[in-house]
Amino acid sequence: MASTHTWQWNTVADAAELEDAPPRLAPQQAQPWCNFTLWHPAELPGGCDAAVGTLRKEAPPGRTDASAGRTPWSDANPAAYRTEISGGGRRLRLKQFLYDWAFPAADHPCLWGSETRPFPIGAGRVVWLGTDYLGHRAASARMSRTTVELSVLEGEFTDEELVELYRALRPADAEAPARIVRTPFSELSYWARHTTDMISVPTGLYFFHRRDRPHEGDWVPTAELPSFLAAQGLPGELGGFAPDSAAVFTAGEGARELEVIYTSEAGGGELRLVLQRPGAGRMPYPPEREKHPARTQETRVRGRSVHMAFVDPAVGPFDAVWQDPSLGVEGKLLSSAGQGLDKEFALGCLDTLLSCSLLAGRGAVL
């Protein structure tokens, strides 16, 4: 019997068994096939009277003739749900999935490179409005681990209509969000469970060399996570966020990076910490800015210089990078966006991290 505390979902045993095209499926029927919280709108924008959803089911990596709806950049077959909302000559698309092949850059990767604006949508969450890579008016939010992306396909929608659509989203299964947030990322993630090429994408506001080879992470078993973090001298909580998952990634020429994910059950917020020995991983130092619009500042925390980049000081997201060659470590802390996850919150997390014993050379992994 499946656990009532964590999430279990259906998958297709072989890519050859996938449908020729993603089938139409109501959200309530599709949720058991998703490794993420599935949302549906309780209200549609004015004049819209149709909402058609299709499910892309999860299957092991592989390509067959049944490739409709699959990314051309990878042979991975993760789950995703697509909804088209239309009426009155207007049409938009919602796409929902677990963004798990990298940290979602700036917390709204589909808007990468465009000017973005945050709006509160309840439960501490924010939605970002901007322009997507196709030049469409677009929006993005992370809600209980789900990345919910919107793209306007026809006609015009006001800011207020797009924000209200996000505020009207409700879980397809009322019990799913809490169970999915309680399930460790390492157990949900397609890329943590399958060996396939990762997708080369930006991961933050500062440059990080892409992880675009077959997945190279060695994930710590969930039951061993507390003792693993203790052995590294890392905190058992960070800014009120609990440790969720950890992995060791092997970069070129045997260099290694330690990555730790901390999450909050209240809304599914996330902190992601990456540590490496100086010059031995994928983080250049001094850090190099990516092209996404953001503010930067250099500050000092516990006597160390820290470079910070952020889109909005009140809600984030934050990308902080530091180096201390004398202690033999470089670090990067990434945060998701949300109300309460402001600059003071990020600085408090950095203060906790820079007091840890790993940063005094105790950590055994790197």
Side-chain angles (χ1 to χ4, degrees), residues 93 108-116 128-140 149-153 291-292:
R93 179 265 295 158
H108 43 274
C110 69
L111 308 178
W112 186 249
S114 78
E115 292 285 346
T116 55
W128 297 86
L129 302 189
T131 304
D132 67 17
Y133 70 100
L134 293 174
H136 294 160
R137 183 164 161 70
S140 182
E149 297 179 346
L150 179 153
S151 184
V152 175
L153 305 179
K291 69 176 184 178
H292 193 73

Side-chain angles (χ1 to χ4, degrees), residues 212-259:
D212 54 4
R213 303 182 303 180
H215 187 86
E216 56 201 16
D218 182 13
W219 292 86
V220 176
T222 299
E224 300 174 14
L225 183 59
S227 59
F228 175 85
L229 295 181
Q232 307 313 310
L234 286 172
E237 67 90 25
L238 187 59
F241 286 38
D244 176 285
S245 301
V248 178
F249 286 83
T250 303
E253 301 180 354
R256 300 204 291 182
E257 300 148 0
L258 171 59
E259 184 165 311

